[in-house]
């Protein structure tokens, strides 16, 4: 673990997980285990909590490259879903993250016949996003950046597509405020949905975000995901 970035055991575990996801995105190696490389298994309580923070992005390399995820990563993500369900009064973003973790597991690694599956979890409400000011909208979408992946329709994705201009404004604002994680999350959404103004210069903007904020592997994760999705759309 890189202690220079670890203000707490949980922060260190999140840093290590995000770093391993980035390495897998760069290499395209779907056979490697993200959790194993980060020293996390199903019995590591701190590691399970870190997976809850990373969310479905744990399986992002498999999602973007269209390959089967490593069974060890599937097992840890499944454990995180079971161990950390959202409370009834949890923020909407937490509920959406949980829903996306379950839907990703069901899509990428459906349980074998007779095996127990995570409980069903209805798609949360997203009406609050439709009327949110563009600043708050960008903030919430950046928190929900793991949902910005291809072929996974949701109310959040539809809200993002309907407000691409607002999201573009939020991207610029985040860059100006040097909020690199928010900028990277907003940029990832724009790469996933398209529709941003041509004058935005998203590609160069993402380069700048990675240059300035790349010390945080979560920033690099979102930027790398954005580039892979943009490349796929261009093909």
């Amino acid at each position: 673990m890189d202690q220079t970035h670890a203000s707490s055991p949980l922060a260190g575990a999140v840093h290590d997980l995000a770093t391993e996801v980035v390495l897998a995105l760069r290499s395209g190696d779907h056979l490697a285990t993200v959790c194993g490389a980060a020293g996390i298994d199903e019995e590591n309580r701190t590691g399970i909590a870190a997976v809850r923070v990373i969310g479905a992005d744990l399986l992002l390399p498999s999602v973007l490259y269209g390959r089967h995820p490593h069974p060890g990563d599937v097992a840890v993500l499944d454990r995180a879903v079971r161990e950390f369900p959202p409370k009834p009064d949890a923020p909407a973003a937490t509920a959406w993250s949980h829903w996306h973790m379950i839907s990703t597991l069901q899509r990428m690694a459906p349980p074998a016949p007779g095996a127990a599956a995570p409980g069903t979890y209805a798609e949360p409400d997203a009406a609050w996003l439709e009327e949110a000011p563009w600043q708050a909208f960008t903030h919430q979408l950046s928190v929900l950046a793991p949902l910005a992946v291809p072929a996974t329709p949701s109310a959040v994705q539809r809200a993002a597509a309907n407000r691409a201009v607002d999201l573009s404004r939020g991207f610029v604002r985040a860059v100006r405020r040097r909020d690199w994680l928010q900028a990277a999350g907003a940029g990832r959404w724009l790469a996933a949905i398209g529709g941003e103004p041509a004058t935005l210069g998203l590609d160069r903007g993402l380069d700048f975000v990675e240059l300035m904020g790349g010390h945080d592997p979560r920033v690099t994760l979102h930027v790398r995901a954005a580039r892979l999705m943009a490349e796929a759309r261009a093909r």
Side-chain angles (χ1 to χ4, degrees):
M1 181 184 299
D2 185 350
Q3 295 294 336
T4 61
H5 296 281
S7 58
S8 69
L10 177 58
V14 170
H15 180 276
D16 291 349
L17 272 177
T19 298
E20 295 302 331
V21 172
V22 170
L23 291 174
L25 288 173
R26 285 175 172 163
S27 69
D29 185 2
H30 67 293
L31 297 178
T33 165
V34 170
C35 289
I40 292 171
D41 59 28
E42 294 176 73
E43 305 306 318
N44 185 320
R45 183 73 176 177
T46 300
I48 297 297
V51 169
R52 182 63 188 85
V53 174
I54 292 292
D57 272 349
L58 181 67
L59 304 186
L60 184 62
S62 296
V63 170
L64 293 183
Y65 286 110
R67 297 166 178 169
H68 294 296
H70 191 282
D73 293 337
V74 171
V76 175
L77 184 60
D78 180 76
R79 181 69 179 271
V81 166
R82 298 175 191 273
E83 289 285 326
F84 296 102
K87 297 179 181 179
D89 59 347
T94 300
W96 270 105
S97 175
H98 188 73
W99 173 85
H100 185 53
M101 290 166 68
I102 291 175
S103 63
T104 300
L105 280 170
Q106 292 173 340
R107 186 174 74 258
M108 299 299 297
T120 58
Y121 192 76
E123 180 174 314
D125 176 66
W128 53 280
L129 283 174
E130 298 175 5
E131 301 299 329
W134 63 269
Q135 299 93 330
F137 179 76
T138 302
H139 169 72
Q140 292 296 331
L141 264 289
S142 69
V143 172
L144 293 173
L147 277 74
V149 289
T152 55
S154 69
V156 172
Q157 192 170 78
R158 290 189 290 274
N162 289 336
R163 299 186 63 179
V165 173
D166 282 345
L167 199 53
S168 299
R169 294 174 68 191
F171 174 78
V172 172
R173 178 175 181 266
V175 170
R176 288 175 174 170
R177 291 165 60 92
R178 304 177 71 85
D179 187 340
W180 308 122
L181 185 58
Q182 184 175 127
R188 174 174 168 178
W189 271 109
L190 290 168
I193 62 175
E196 75 278 5
T199 55
L200 180 64
L202 181 60
D203 289 344
R204 287 185 296 175
L206 286 171
D207 288 344
F208 183 70
V209 169
E210 185 174 27
L211 175 66
M212 300 301 293
H215 58 277
D216 183 344
R218 296 173 301 167
V219 170
T220 306
L221 188 161
H222 291 325
V223 171
R224 182 59 184 162
R227 287 178 176 147
L228 287 171
M229 288 188 286
E231 291 169 5
R233 285 173 52 200
R235 288 198 291 267

